[in-house]
Amino acid sequence: HSGRVYALALTADGSGLVSGAADGSVRLWALPQAAAGQDAATAAPWRHDGWTWAVALDETGARLASAGADGRLVIDRPQGHGEPLRLTGHQGVVPGLVMNRAGTLLASAGTDGSVRLWDPADGGALARLGDTGLPLGAPGGGGLAARIAGGARAERTSPLAAPPVAERWSLALSPDETLLAAGGEDGG
């Protein structure tokens, strides 16, 4: 990288790392080789226009996704089968990204206030959360939380009205992969 590193993700077994930087680049690292002092970085075959804000991996590291200041998500095809998928939908920076262990669900958070669910296999949009009443705000704050059922469907989590649009900057997926939470500028 020729700039600050803003995003990191490790494989479940700790053998690999992916990094994203201010220069828009994404790199894959083989940690055993890096520890031995060998050249261990491989550049991904894409760059973001502007900073790479977020990266995500499945459990094995076979599926990689990145998101950037250009509002795009890029999903690498496992074992180099075809061109990477380039997804659009957010209006602005995409600083939050998380993938489930199996690599069958990708969630992204944007400064446009939306959280989106994607199918990493084909890049299909599964849901846009935040402007349709899904999910609903939590009591006492504008936080976002969605119950994930069947890996691709969001359910309501509260009977409250949806909060006003606020920039979303971070995402977390529960270990059992049933709860997706997003944080943002509204303190929630």
Side-chain angles (χ1 to χ4, degrees):
H1 297 294
S2 63
R4 292 181 177 149
V5 173
Y6 286 104
L8 296 171
L10 283 165
T11 58
D13 67 2
S15 66
L17 173 78
V18 62
S19 58
D23 63 3
S25 67
V26 175
R27 292 188 183 268
L28 307 152
W29 302 83
L31 296 182
Q33 287 86 343
Q38 300 170 356
D39 184 13
T42 302
W46 69 86
R47 294 176 77 88
H48 286 277
D49 295 329
W51 297 351
T52 298
W53 274 101
V55 293
L57 290 168
D58 69 0
E59 185 173 53
T60 66
R63 184 153 294 178
L64 158 68
S66 66
D70 55 9
R72 277 187 309 136
L73 281 74
V74 180
I75 303 171
D76 198 13
R77 304 261 188 168
Q79 291 84 36
H81 289 51
E83 287 293 312
L85 299 171
R86 289 168 171 76
L87 313 180
T88 59
H90 285 283
Q91 304 298 312
V93 175
V94 183
L97 199 61
V98 66
M99 190 178 306
N100 70 346
R101 288 186 304 273
T104 57
L105 180 69
L106 179 69
S108 59
T111 58
D112 62 0
S114 71
V115 172
R116 295 173 181 265
L117 302 180
W118 309 88
D119 180 345
D122 62 11
L126 301 173
R128 177 181 170 150
L129 312 179
D131 66 345
T132 62
L134 287 174
L136 302 175
L144 210 58
R147 208 116 331 248
I148 306 298
R153 198 179 89 234
E155 298 174 353
R156 295 176 187 261
T157 59
S158 165
L160 302 174
V165 173
E167 293 182 355
R168 299 291 170 203
W169 287 87
S170 57
L171 288 173
L173 185 61
S174 64
D176 67 359
E177 300 182 354
T178 62
L179 184 65
L180 174 69
E185 70 172 8
D186 59 356

